[in-house]
Amino acid sequence: MRLGILGVGRIGQYHAGVVHGLPEVTSLVVRDVLPERAAAVQAALGTGTKPVHIAEHTDALLAQVDGVLIATPTATHAELLGMAMRAGVPTFCEKPVALDLATVRALAQLETERSAIVQIGFQRRFDAGYRAARELVRSGALGTVYSVRIAGHDPAPPHEGYVPLSGGLFRDLLIHDFDVVPWVLGQPIEEVFMQGSVRVDPMFARHDDVDTVAGTLRFADGTLGVLTGGRHDPLGYDIRLEVFGANDSIAVGWDARTPLRSVEPDMPASPPNGWPGFLARFDAAYRAELAHFVQVVAGRAPSACTIRDTEHALCVALACERSRREHRAVRVAEIGD
């Protein structure tokens, strides 16, 4: 199997290393707007029996691969996804598909019309903890789910140049939660109420964004959720889901590296060795999702997350932003009407 990779910046280089090591993959074709980055990947991986080739144009890459991974900047995803679907090439695309709903819906329509094979990179669906939580909820082991608590906190804010391109905290960071928590519970989010503030760095205010948020979610079956999110956690990358049910209460993301320090007298006083970022925290999940995509390309598995599947998470993120701006509860159904 020959795979193509469009974009070999940080996440693209990581993906290249992972798929290059999979036994089904025999060679890679890479393209980047910075030729030196493509050359660096070729030099690092293109030894032995698995060559790495460089394509000068996207069309040339698509013409010679069995599947393609899109790891370019967000603003380019929609165009490249459209090209890949029209070329009939099975495609993996990092999230987000796009920052606006109209573009996502248009691409989802193209996905349907072309019977295109697309997998979007919401890697938490492959994390062992979230998968275990989903099984416990779906099996009934937890009983009636009463409520959930969700935390999404980056260890450090991004550079200022990233902020105006990110889509804001809800569409950039917390959209992962808006995808995976309904997936775990089997219930869509129906209503949100969110507050936002600038507590970390004034640069967020300069770009009409916030760096700290908190609010509530109501799911379709009445389950309630409490969410907090932020751009800075001094102890590390904090991604958690707590599920409280009639029979049991469970937590995802609670381990020796959870960036919380207890001040109870019988607990260790030293801070934990927190996760430095998303690639370290979700390394196993990323590897599992890329291995799954190879099976999708081979025709042995269905996509784990289609373009259509991402629509709800984007609608929730947009509803949260509207709620923050208008200081009111917003029903997700309002978005896109």
Side-chain angles (χ1 to χ4, degrees):
M1 179 186 298
R2 173 176 282 194
L3 291 184
I5 303 180
L6 294 169
V8 286
R10 178 174 61 160
I11 192 68
Q13 290 175 27
Y14 173 90
H15 288 344
V18 171
V19 297
H20 188 264
L22 295 175
E24 298 92 339
V25 177
T26 57
S27 63
L28 298 182
V29 183
V30 300
R31 165 166 165 70
D32 195 280
V33 293
L34 299 178
E36 61 270 24
R37 292 204 301 208
V41 170
Q42 184 183 52
L45 299 177
T47 59
T49 60
K50 291 189 178 184
V52 176
H53 307 281
I54 296 175
E56 293 187 4
H57 305 287
T58 299
D59 286 334
L61 182 147
L62 292 173
Q64 57 183 306
V65 298
D66 302 302
V68 64
L69 289 78
I70 298 174
T72 54
T74 294
T76 65
H77 287 181
E79 179 183 2
L80 294 173
L81 256 177
M83 291 178 66
M85 286 192 286
R86 291 184 180 94
V89 179
T91 304
F92 174 94
C93 182
E94 270 300 336
K95 74 87 188 169
V97 174
L99 296 176
D100 67 286
L101 188 57
T103 300
V104 171
R105 285 179 170 170
L107 288 168
Q109 181 63 31
L110 181 63
E111 179 184 41
T112 300
E113 291 172 354
R114 296 273 177 158
S115 298
I117 299 171
V118 180
Q119 180 176 324
I120 304 303
F122 279 110
Q123 86 285 349
R124 294 188 198 177
R125 294 184 179 212
F126 288 89
D127 176 76
Y130 284 105
R131 293 177 78 89
R134 174 181 163 95
E135 176 58 30
L136 288 168
V137 171
R138 300 299 184 89
S139 70
L142 299 188
T144 300
V145 175
Y146 298 145
S147 61
V148 297
R149 282 205 294 251
I150 305 161
H153 301 260
D154 274 336
H159 60 84
E160 185 163 2
Y162 177 80
V163 177
L165 305 176
S166 70
L169 186 59
F170 295 112
R171 281 180 285 179
D172 179 43
L173 173 63
L174 297 173
I175 197 167
H176 279 286
D177 298 289
F178 302 147
D179 172 73
V180 80
V181 179
W183 181 80
V184 167
L185 298 182
Q187 297 290 330
I189 298 168
E190 285 195 339
E191 187 175 76
V192 303
F193 183 80
M194 290 289 152
Q195 298 274 6
S197 186
V198 175
R199 304 290 294 164
V200 176
D201 193 312
M203 71 174 178
F204 290 97
R206 289 197 291 271
H207 299 285
D208 195 27
D209 195 7
V210 292
D211 55 43
T212 305
V213 299
T216 59
L217 312 169
R218 177 180 287 274
F219 293 81
D221 67 347
T223 300
L224 297 178
V226 176
L227 176 145
T228 62
R231 290 296 194 182
H232 178 229
D233 188 316
L235 298 187
Y237 185 58
D238 188 9
I239 301 296
R240 279 176 290 126
L241 169 65
E242 301 167 17
V243 185
F244 302 93
N247 298 337
D248 198 3
S249 296
I250 61 171
V252 178
W254 187 268
D255 58 21
R257 302 191 70 173
T258 301
L260 281 176
R261 184 172 66 85
S262 175
V263 294
E264 296 295 335
D266 57 347
M267 295 296 289
S270 60
N273 179 26
W275 296 102
F278 64 92
L279 281 177
R281 167 65 178 84
F282 289 110
D283 177 69
Y286 277 115
R287 292 177 181 276
E289 92 172 335
L290 292 173
H292 182 85
F293 176 65
V294 167
Q295 298 305 307
V296 171
V297 175
R300 293 191 286 266
S303 170
C305 185
T306 66
I307 299 174
R308 185 72 67 187
D309 291 336
T310 70
E311 188 175 316
H312 177 67
L314 178 58
C315 286
V316 174
L318 294 170
C320 287
E321 184 60 28
R322 181 177 295 182
S323 174
R324 179 187 77 80
R325 291 182 183 279
E326 298 181 4
H327 303 286
R328 65 177 179 92
V330 173
R331 291 185 63 80
V332 176
E334 291 182 32
I335 304 301
D337 288 347

